[in-house]
């Protein structure tokens, strides 16, 4: 039994079934018992290892991609370097390391971070202290400057709602109680949501469609900012162009577990529906690109070979395995996808196609 299970059950008993998004929000970010607020979530000790924690090459190449875009847009002398959901701060640290000799880049960059967990903010502060990062509450609060943004495994951690298509229309899947245990049921009255209209022609009775309203709102704000001020955003996540069905996943100590079994102890995520994420943005977006393809285009093989020259024995084996893990289609190469947002007056960043 977890500390959160009785709290959630009490809430449901008092106010009725809750949306899946409310369950996710509580499990991930409850101030005392939330997953991101209590666990050593990343790295070899945590439940999952993210790309920047696998190898420095990930952050280096994406950092150089952002820096190239900054150069292509005339090297603005003041700009925002933003990361959404920076975790341990490793990705931003690698970006800053890779760009340290680029004239004018560090001098012009104001580092902004969007992070909900106070515990992770503290880790980020420690790691990035020399660069004096600032934590933003939302994208809309950022100063009016060009924005160069990176987000890895951020949107998949945001709460989603699920809707099931029935003859009567869309019915939301809610978490209630049955014999004292969590139980997923459907709202009896159909819900009309314009955000689901475009799916009606393609779904069949019983199909589930997910909605990441919070993620879409953040993408919209980013799109406005990039179109008005310049810059770009590189968004990398677990997902696809249009997702269908229940993609919720709970991971506890490196194993997949039942979604409702360990509230607050398991990492919860859902595949990102990139089509929904980038629909109706003010700026342009690139094609969706598999992570492995993007990293190859950005030169990961040459970088891996250069780094390999300094390594031997176990360190070399680990380095080769990390390269494969990031790029191979059977590992992270295809499961993770990347998309770039950029102003409609410019072209897609290096490694992306239009
Ligand atoms: N980008 C990092 C961490 C990914 S995990 C990496 O690649 O290793 C997701 C991150 O998003 C965590 O830092 C988590 O605390 C943060 N996060 C989750 N929900 C958030 C929210 N609603 N607002 C801001 N940050 C959030």
């Amino acid at each position: 039994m977890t500390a959160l299970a009785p709290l959630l059950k009490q809430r449901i008993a008092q106010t009725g079934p809750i949306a899946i998004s409310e369950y996710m929000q509580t499990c991930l970010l409850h101030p005392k018992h939330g997953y991101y607020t209590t666990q050593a979530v990343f790295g070899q000790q945590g439940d999952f290892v993210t790309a920047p924690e696998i190898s420095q090459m990930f952050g280096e190449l994406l950092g150089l991609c952002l820096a190239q875009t900054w150069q292509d847009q005339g090297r603005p002398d003041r700009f925002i370097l933003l990361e959404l959901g920076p975790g341990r701060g490793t990705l931003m640290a690698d970006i800053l390391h890779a760009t340290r000799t680029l004239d004018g880049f560090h001098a012009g960059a104001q580092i902004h971070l969007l992070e909900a967990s106070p515990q992770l903010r503290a880790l980020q502060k420690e790691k990035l202290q020399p660069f004096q990062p600032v934590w933003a509450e939302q994208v809309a609060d950022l100063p009016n400057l060009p924005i160069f943004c990176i987000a890895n495994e951020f949107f998949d951690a945001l709460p989603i709602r699920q809707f099931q298509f029935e003859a009567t229309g869309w019915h939301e899947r809610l978490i209630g109680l049955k014999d004292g245990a969590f139980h997923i049921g459907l709202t009896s009255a159909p819900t009309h949501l314009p955000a689901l209209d475009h799916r009606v022609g393609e779904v069949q009775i019983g199909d589930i469609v997910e909605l990441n309203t919070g993620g879409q709102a953040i993408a919209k704000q980013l799109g406005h900012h990039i179109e008005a001020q310049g810059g770009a955003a590189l968004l990398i996540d677990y997902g696809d162009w249009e997702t269908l069905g229940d993609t919720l996943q709970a991971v506890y100590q490196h194993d997949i577990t039942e979604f409702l079994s360990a509230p607050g102890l398991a990492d919860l995520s859902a595949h990102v529906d990139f089509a929904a994420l980038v629909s109706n943005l003010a700026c342009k977006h690139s094609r969706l690109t598999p992570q492995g393809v993007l990293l190859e285009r950005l030169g990961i093989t040459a970088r891996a070979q250069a780094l390999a020259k300094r390594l031997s024995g176990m360190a070399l084996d680990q380095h080769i395995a990390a390269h494969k893990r990031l790029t191979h289609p059977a590992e992270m190469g295809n499961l993770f996808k990347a998309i770039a947002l950029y102003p409609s007056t410019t072209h897609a960043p290096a490694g992306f196609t239009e």
Side-chain angles (χ1 to χ4, degrees):
M1 181 65 97
T2 72
L4 272 186
L7 290 179
L8 282 159
K9 285 180 181 172
Q10 196 182 10
R11 190 187 309 170
I12 294 169
Q14 281 168 355
T15 63
I18 58 173
I20 288 175
S21 52
E22 190 178 336
Y23 176 85
M24 277 182 89
Q25 177 79 15
T26 306
C27 291
L28 293 176
L29 291 169
H30 185 279
K32 243 171 104 186
H33 307 296
Y35 181 75
Y36 285 119
T37 39
T38 55
Q39 312 279 318
V41 287
F42 316 103
Q44 308 301 334
Q45 310 306 318
D47 293 313
F48 62 99
V49 186
T50 58
E53 306 294 337
I54 291 172
S55 166
Q56 68 190 73
M57 294 187 290
F58 184 79
E60 288 173 347
L61 294 168
L62 291 168
L64 292 175
C65 174
L66 275 183
Q68 178 68 53
T69 313
W70 169 78
Q71 298 213 45
D72 293 344
Q73 293 187 19
R75 307 164 67 98
D77 54 9
R78 284 177 67 222
F79 65 95
I80 297 164
L81 188 56
L82 170 70
E83 182 170 359
L84 310 177
R88 295 162 62 99
T90 309
L91 176 55
M92 184 55 86
D94 289 339
I95 289 174
L96 289 164
H97 185 73
T99 52
R100 70 197 180 286
T101 57
L102 187 63
D103 196 26
F105 193 77
H106 280 207
Q110 295 180 9
I111 315 295
H112 289 258
L113 309 172
L114 196 81
E115 173 56 63
S117 153
Q119 283 72 5
L120 289 173
R121 280 188 188 203
L123 269 183
Q124 293 153 15
K125 188 171 183 180
E126 205 178 293
K127 192 160 227 161
L128 300 169
Q129 203 176 11
F131 302 98
Q132 300 181 311
V134 178
W135 283 266
E137 291 304 323
Q138 48 173 342
V139 174
D141 294 343
L142 294 169
N144 286 338
L145 290 171
I147 195 168
F148 293 86
C149 169
I150 186 99
N152 182 59
E153 288 210 53
F154 170 70
F155 291 96
D156 73 358
L158 299 181
I160 54 129
R161 293 166 74 186
Q162 287 187 333
F163 296 87
Q164 190 163 313
F165 191 66
E166 297 293 329
T168 41
W170 296 105
H171 293 258
E172 183 159 9
R173 299 183 87 214
L174 299 179
I175 300 171
L177 295 174
K178 193 174 178 185
D179 304 327
F182 292 120
H183 175 78
I184 295 192
L186 293 181
T187 48
S188 46
T191 320
H192 178 68
L193 274 175
L196 296 175
D197 284 351
H198 69 291
R199 303 300 298 264
V200 170
E202 61 189 48
V203 290
Q204 298 182 349
I205 301 289
D207 277 350
I208 294 170
V209 166
E210 296 175 337
L211 204 57
N212 185 342
T213 316
Q216 286 179 18
I218 292 173
K220 209 146 251 131
Q221 290 174 350
L222 265 180
H224 272 293
H225 196 115
I226 289 171
E227 187 66 12
Q229 305 292 333
L234 314 182
L235 315 178
I236 304 107
D237 237 304
Y238 190 46
D240 235 315
W241 190 257
E242 283 209 338
T243 59
L244 182 65
D246 174 9
T247 76
L248 284 172
Q249 184 175 286
V251 176
Y252 181 50
Q253 295 181 342
H254 295 279
D255 280 324
I256 304 234
T257 178
E258 210 277 310
F259 186 69
L260 297 166
S261 68
L265 297 183
D267 174 50
L268 305 180
S269 63
H271 286 203
V272 172
D273 179 340
F274 283 93
L277 194 68
V278 301
S279 72
N280 296 320
L281 297 187
C283 69
K284 279 207 289 195
H285 65 81
S286 71
R287 285 183 196 220
L288 193 62
T289 311
Q291 171 176 301
V293 172
L294 176 69
L295 293 175
E296 289 299 347
R297 287 183 186 153
L298 293 175
I300 195 170
T301 300
R303 180 66 184 136
Q305 284 165 349
L307 285 172
K309 285 193 185 127
R310 290 184 244 146
L311 300 172
S312 61
M314 221 166 84
L316 180 60
D317 292 345
Q318 277 172 0
H319 171 63
I320 293 168
H323 177 199
K324 185 168 172 233
R325 193 156 171 208
L326 289 177
T327 55
H328 197 281
E331 302 209 32
M332 292 174 87
N334 213 21
L335 208 52
F336 285 81
K337 309 281 196 309
I339 205 161
L341 312 184
Y342 52 98
S344 56
T345 50
T346 65
H347 291 291
F352 290 90
T353 50
E354 300 189 7

